[in-house]
Amino acid sequence: MITISLCMIVKNEDQTLAKCLDSIREIVDEIIIVDTGSTDKTKEIAYSFTDKVYDFEWINDFAAARNFAFSKATKEYQLWLDADDIIIEKDKIAFLDLKKTLSPEIDMVLMKYNYVVDENNNPSYSFHRERLVKTANNYKWNDPVHEYIQFGDMYLLSDIAVTHKKIASFSDRNLKIYEEQRQKNIPFSPRSLYYFARELRDHEKYKEAIEYFNKFLDTKEGAVEDNINACYEMGKIYKKLDDQENALKYFFQSFLYDIPRAESCCEIASIYQINKDYKKAIYWYEFVLTLKISSTDISKTVIDCWNFVPAIELAVCYSNINMIEKAMYYNELAGKYKVNHASVVYNREYFNRLAKNKDVLYTNYIGKY
């Protein structure tokens, strides 16, 4: 059985830290908490779980803080979590089994990160992260914001998930770090260009966001998944700005890096649907339903785009061209993915009324996801 050091950096996390540590304490053999300047009860909570609580002067560099936390680890593997992450029961059971069975040849375990979940912890947005790493390999965190460990060597792709339970908040902290880096003419890594663009997007600085997404793509050094998402995000920005031509350009450009992903295909279909070009919309939504989420990649996935969204929108599209039987078929398919979703129920009731009274004038709106 391997031994594990949990290494965390925290600041003002008294609303979430205890729940996080409660969820992981049975799995790990050592808890290391690095505080970067809390003014609430975070450190008091940390000390109730471990005596290995350290202070680190904040220098606008998340990688530096995480590397400091890793430097305190004494066990065979290092695990990282944020204070608003938890391990739910089914993943705890799987994690304990992994701890017993992990081959010593494995240098790193990539685990699912269920970043957005519903009230039952069912994920709607997931991706894999480097989560458990061999201490002896002396892995280092890179980049001051959206920090990462370069994965490679012998790694295991696991279905064990960390569940993100973020308390709603919006901060310009990361954007300020990037802007300071730009002002000081400190070079951006390709990955930093990508995440700087995302921060600009989040702050509705759309022109600059597009500029930096393109700078990232121009390096030709980005990870495939980030290349795809850069195109996807630019497409969404242009769609938001009602520039459908450029939106379609970037959604299609994402296909240059890998086979089409459902997220971009649904956006393409939605543009045709908005323009009442139902033939093309139906083509792309039906195409999405032929795609399968790979079990071997680490892509960022909006789960609904692979099943529920195309099904419910096909019900809308077919109903708008008066192909009611097909509309009903796809509405019931959507219901298999989300049994009591309001749109499915609304559509079903509408179709039932239509079946009872065929003289009802059909309207062009049924209800949308």
Side-chain angles (χ1 to χ4, degrees):
M1 181 185 294
I2 64 168
T3 57
I4 301 173
S5 298
L6 171 64
C7 304
M8 296 180 62
I9 61 172
V10 298
K11 181 179 180 181
N12 293 336
E13 309 284 4
D14 63 0
Q15 294 184 62
T16 57
L17 183 58
K19 188 172 183 180
C20 171
L21 294 176
D22 270 331
S23 76
I24 194 69
R25 67 195 307 177
E26 296 174 19
I27 297 171
V28 300
D29 304 280
E30 177 179 58
I31 296 176
I32 295 162
I33 306 291
V34 170
D35 188 89
T36 62
S38 293
T39 56
D40 61 5
K41 295 183 179 180
T42 295
K43 288 176 71 174
E44 180 181 330
I45 293 168
Y47 273 118
S48 71
F49 287 87
T50 179
D51 60 354
K52 296 184 177 182
V53 180
Y54 304 91
D55 291 314
F56 182 82
E57 183 179 354
W58 182 241
I59 55 173
N60 282 350
D61 191 328
F62 284 91
R66 290 205 190 275
N67 285 329
F68 179 75
F70 266 29
S71 74
K72 301 298 182 182
T74 65
K75 305 304 178 184
E76 296 170 286
Y77 283 81
Q78 297 155 317
L79 170 73
W80 69 275
L81 294 174
D82 289 327
D84 50 6
D85 295 331
I86 62 169
I87 310 295
I88 65 175
E89 190 61 30
K90 71 179 183 67
D91 293 306
K92 184 184 297 185
I93 293 168
F95 205 145
L96 287 168
D97 184 63
L98 176 72
K99 186 177 179 182
K100 295 175 184 176
T101 59
L102 186 66
S103 167
E105 295 180 357
I106 297 298
D107 298 299
M108 178 181 297
V109 179
L110 277 63
M111 295 183 180
K112 289 181 68 176
Y113 197 15
N114 290 340
Y115 196 74
V116 180
V117 296
D118 65 17
E119 64 277 7
N120 297 313
N121 291 321
N122 297 311
S124 58
Y125 180 55
S126 296
F127 49 95
H128 279 81
R129 284 298 309 262
E130 64 286 24
R131 187 63 67 176
L132 185 69
V133 300
K134 189 178 288 184
T135 305
N137 288 14
N138 196 32
Y139 288 107
K140 297 297 183 184
W141 290 89
N142 303 280
D143 285 352
V145 188
H146 295 288
E147 64 282 10
Y148 71 101
I149 297 170
Q150 187 67 46
F151 71 86
D153 302 324
M154 289 289 292
Y155 70 86
L156 173 69
L157 191 64
S158 173
D159 282 333
I160 298 170
V162 173
T163 297
H164 190 56
K165 303 291 282 188
K166 185 175 179 63
I167 296 175
S169 64
F170 188 74
S171 170
D172 62 356
R173 176 197 59 192
N174 292 349
L175 182 63
K176 285 181 176 178
I177 293 173
Y178 280 131
E179 289 180 332
E180 180 182 2
Q181 183 176 347
R182 180 170 61 178
Q183 289 167 5
K184 292 181 177 179
N185 293 316
I186 299 172
F188 284 81
S189 70
R191 193 173 186 276
S192 285
L193 288 171
Y194 169 73
Y195 278 102
F196 184 26
R198 289 175 63 96
E199 292 292 337
L200 290 164
R201 174 211 61 190
D202 290 345
H203 288 80
E204 299 183 354
K205 298 185 176 186
Y206 296 131
K207 184 178 179 180
E208 283 188 277
I210 290 168
E211 176 189 354
Y212 274 87
F213 276 128
N214 276 311
K215 283 184 176 182
F216 160 72
L217 291 174
D218 288 344
T219 69
K220 300 187 185 303
E221 296 179 15
V224 168
E225 188 57 35
D226 289 343
N227 292 336
I228 292 169
N229 275 286
C231 295
Y232 176 63
E233 294 299 342
M234 282 191 282
K236 288 199 298 181
I237 290 171
Y238 278 118
K239 184 181 176 186
K240 186 179 184 71
L241 297 175
D242 200 28
D243 184 344
Q244 295 182 354
E245 182 177 349
N246 273 311
L248 286 171
K249 169 188 169 182
Y250 282 104
F251 291 136
F252 280 119
Q253 185 174 321
S254 70
F255 300 169
L256 295 176
Y257 301 101
D258 201 359
I259 59 175
R261 302 290 172 85
E263 292 84 359
S264 288
C265 293
C266 280
E267 292 289 352
I268 291 167
S270 74
I271 290 174
Y272 292 129
Q273 185 178 355
I274 289 167
N275 292 326
K276 298 184 179 180
D277 189 344
Y278 296 117
K279 180 180 178 181
K280 290 179 183 176
I282 286 168
Y283 172 86
W284 283 102
Y285 284 132
E286 289 187 334
F287 175 69
V288 170
L289 292 175
T290 70
L291 301 175
K292 305 295 181 185
I293 300 177
S294 172
S295 60
T296 59
D297 67 31
I298 58 172
S299 60
K300 297 178 175 68
T301 304
V302 182
I303 306 297
D304 284 354
C305 287
W306 294 77
N307 44 55
F308 179 77
V309 169
I312 198 69
E313 295 300 351
L314 281 164
V316 174
C317 289
Y318 274 115
S319 61
N320 276 300
I321 57 174
N322 290 312
M323 295 183 69
I324 304 304
E325 288 187 5
K326 279 207 167 186
M328 294 172 68
Y329 167 79
Y330 281 112
N331 191 62
E332 292 309 307
L333 179 61
K336 291 181 180 180
Y337 299 120
K338 294 193 174 184
V339 178
N340 294 315
H341 192 278
S343 290
V344 173
V345 174
Y346 181 94
N347 291 350
R348 187 179 293 134
E349 291 173 351
Y350 175 82
F351 293 138
N352 286 337
R353 291 196 304 270
L354 199 63
K356 290 177 181 178
N357 183 3
K358 293 184 179 180
D359 293 327
V360 169
L361 179 64
Y362 181 71
T363 62
N364 284 328
Y365 178 74
I366 300 180
K368 290 195 48 147
Y369 171 69

